Amino acid sequence: MDISPPDDRSRVLMRLTAALFLGYLAVALSLPVIPVYVTQWPGYGNMLAGLAVGIAFASTIISRNHAGQLADGRGGRTCMRLGLAGYILAGLICAGASLPILPYPLRYLVLVAGRLVLGVGESLTVVGMLGWGIGLMGHARAGKVMAWTGMAMYGAFAVGAPLGLAIFHLAGFGGVMLTCAILPAAGLLLSQDIMPSPIHDGRREPFWHILGRIWQPGCALGLQGVGFAALGTFISLYFMHRNWPHAGLGLTCFGGAFVAVRLLCGHLPDRVGGVRVALASLMVEATGQYLLWCAPSPTLALVGAVLTGMGCSMVYPALGVEVVRIMPPHLRGTALGGFAAFQDLAYGATGPLTGLLADRTGYASVFLVGGICATLAFLLTLHMATRRR
């Protein structure tokens, strides 16, 4: 089902993207604040702070299948709006961790509970957005929907981190968490009168069968995510370790290139095919990672960060178009949920594993691993293209 005329389609997608942006700020605002808040407690160090942050990703991965089934069975609108409500509930629960009457162990348990709810909300919101958007815009614009979804999420990260810290200094942890509850409520209001997408009937398949049909684009996406996560975790430390100036510019260069390519090239997977765009993107990402690995100067390292951002930008929508292509409409939400779980797993595992590697062989080695993984993703995608021909 398509909405017409085209201008109406664009307006609807813009409103859904804005609603997702507002909701995803609940994730982005809290991300830099929680480690600062938890490590201020007596006896609570980096490990417990990191667990409080990372446990949300665990619940996101676990709930991807259920989010996809909900989007397929009851529609993306219901799924996304339940996810936004989950963000609101998570913010209110986490705000309870700021109550001074609670002992620190109980505060921590309340915080972890809120983070678990947040992870489920994230899964429902993103999968619902994809199902709702693709259902309304049509199969032929699936790549555009995925590109705009990514822009909303990473735009929220870019704005949310400094904004969250500013609110924390002004209004404390409780103020941040209440803001994390208010913003998704605005997203709910913004999406209130957007029509639901059609629900398709068809025979359900076990989740593992669906993963078996999408494992190749999923594995390629996961391998691509290693370079993304490695850069996000270690580039600032890499610059500082080598006594290079402008350590903070690495993430700025990466993020700027990522968003710019999404804006300029978001239509390409729909127009020229997802596999072609993925192959070109993975080649650029691998080049950027290898350049970071062997960069003799900060300037070339920043060029590597730019190339990595350019390469990473379009892999998700490009390979996602292939998932949409091979899956019937009534299984699309479940398939996209499983597809995203490959990336979630890569993001969650890369930090600790490459951290162990960096402790033994230095920070440059993590970018070598990122380059190798991007190369393997390129070869896997090339194999997909060869099989199709």
Side-chain angles (χ1 to χ4, degrees):
M1 175 180 177
D2 280 1
I3 301 172
S4 57
D7 285 348
D8 289 343
R9 287 195 294 263
S10 296
R11 281 195 290 269
V12 166
L13 184 56
M14 288 177 64
R15 287 178 62 191
L16 285 176
T17 303
L20 177 62
F21 172 79
L22 290 169
Y24 218 80
L25 282 172
V27 179
L29 287 169
S30 61
L31 204 59
V33 170
I34 287 174
V36 177
Y37 182 58
V38 172
T39 53
Q40 290 175 350
W41 301 350
Y44 286 74
N46 290 319
M47 187 192 74
L48 288 173
L51 177 62
V53 171
I55 201 164
F57 293 101
S59 63
T60 297
I61 294 172
I62 293 170
S63 61
R64 287 291 192 192
N65 174 32
H66 302 290
Q69 291 179 347
L70 180 65
D72 289 332
R74 297 183 57 188
R77 183 181 190 275
T78 298
C79 186
M80 180 176 177
R81 289 177 62 79
L82 279 176
L84 291 170
Y87 282 152
I88 296 170
L89 178 61
L92 294 175
I93 293 173
C94 289
S98 66
L99 296 174
I101 60 172
L102 298 181
Y104 289 114
L106 187 53
R107 289 193 205 183
Y108 189 78
L109 289 176
V110 170
L111 179 61
V112 166
R115 295 291 295 170
L116 288 170
V117 173
L118 182 80
V120 176
E122 178 178 348
S123 189
L124 290 168
T125 303
V126 175
V127 172
M129 164 72 182
L130 292 172
W132 197 0
I134 293 172
L136 291 177
M137 301 292 290
H139 173 276
R141 299 176 186 85
K144 183 177 182 180
V145 173
M146 286 185 242
W148 284 43
T149 298
M151 281 193 293
M153 294 165 62
Y154 293 106
F157 275 124
V159 174
L163 182 59
L165 289 171
I167 297 172
F168 178 67
H169 292 304
L170 288 173
F173 186 74
V176 175
M177 292 301 108
L178 289 175
T179 305
C180 289
I182 292 169
L183 290 171
L188 270 176
L189 290 174
L190 187 60
S191 61
Q192 174 65 38
D193 60 345
I194 299 177
M195 66 185 296
S197 56
I199 299 174
H200 301 276
D201 295 325
R203 185 177 65 86
R204 305 298 306 170
E205 291 185 21
F207 186 57
W208 295 109
H209 290 184
I210 294 173
L211 288 182
R213 296 171 66 174
I214 65 168
W215 73 268
Q216 287 185 315
C219 285
L221 179 70
L223 288 166
Q224 169 270 324
V226 172
F228 181 107
L231 186 146
T233 305
F234 293 111
I235 189 168
S236 296
L237 293 171
Y238 180 47
F239 268 64
M240 289 187 285
H241 180 73
R242 300 195 65 171
N243 295 315
W244 285 345
H246 314 303
L249 274 183
L251 284 172
T252 302
C253 290
F254 171 87
F258 186 101
V259 173
V261 170
R262 279 279 175 103
L263 286 170
L264 295 173
C265 304
H267 63 287
L268 287 181
D270 296 326
R271 182 168 298 181
V272 305
V275 168
R276 290 181 179 178
V277 175
L279 286 171
S281 298
L282 289 165
M283 190 181 303
V284 173
E285 180 193 355
T287 303
Q289 289 285 289
Y290 290 134
L291 184 55
L292 277 163
W293 167 54
C294 64
S297 68
T299 300
L300 285 178
L302 291 175
V303 173
V306 169
L307 290 174
T308 301
M310 292 174 63
C312 289
S313 181
M314 292 304 300
V315 175
Y316 180 87
L319 293 174
V321 164
E322 296 305 304
V323 172
V324 171
R325 182 185 64 81
I326 63 179
M327 297 301 298
H330 70 280
L331 297 176
R332 190 176 291 153
T334 305
L336 288 172
F339 176 64
F342 284 92
Q343 184 169 260
D344 296 332
L345 185 60
Y347 289 172
T350 295
L353 292 178
T354 54
L356 290 173
L357 180 66
D359 287 340
R360 288 162 174 76
T361 60
Y363 291 115
S365 61
V366 304
F367 303 115
L368 174 61
V369 171
I372 292 171
C373 287
T375 302
L376 292 174
F378 175 87
L379 295 174
L380 180 56
T381 306
L382 186 62
H383 176 67
M384 290 166 48
T386 304
R387 286 188 60 188
R388 180 195 290 184
R389 284 197 295 268

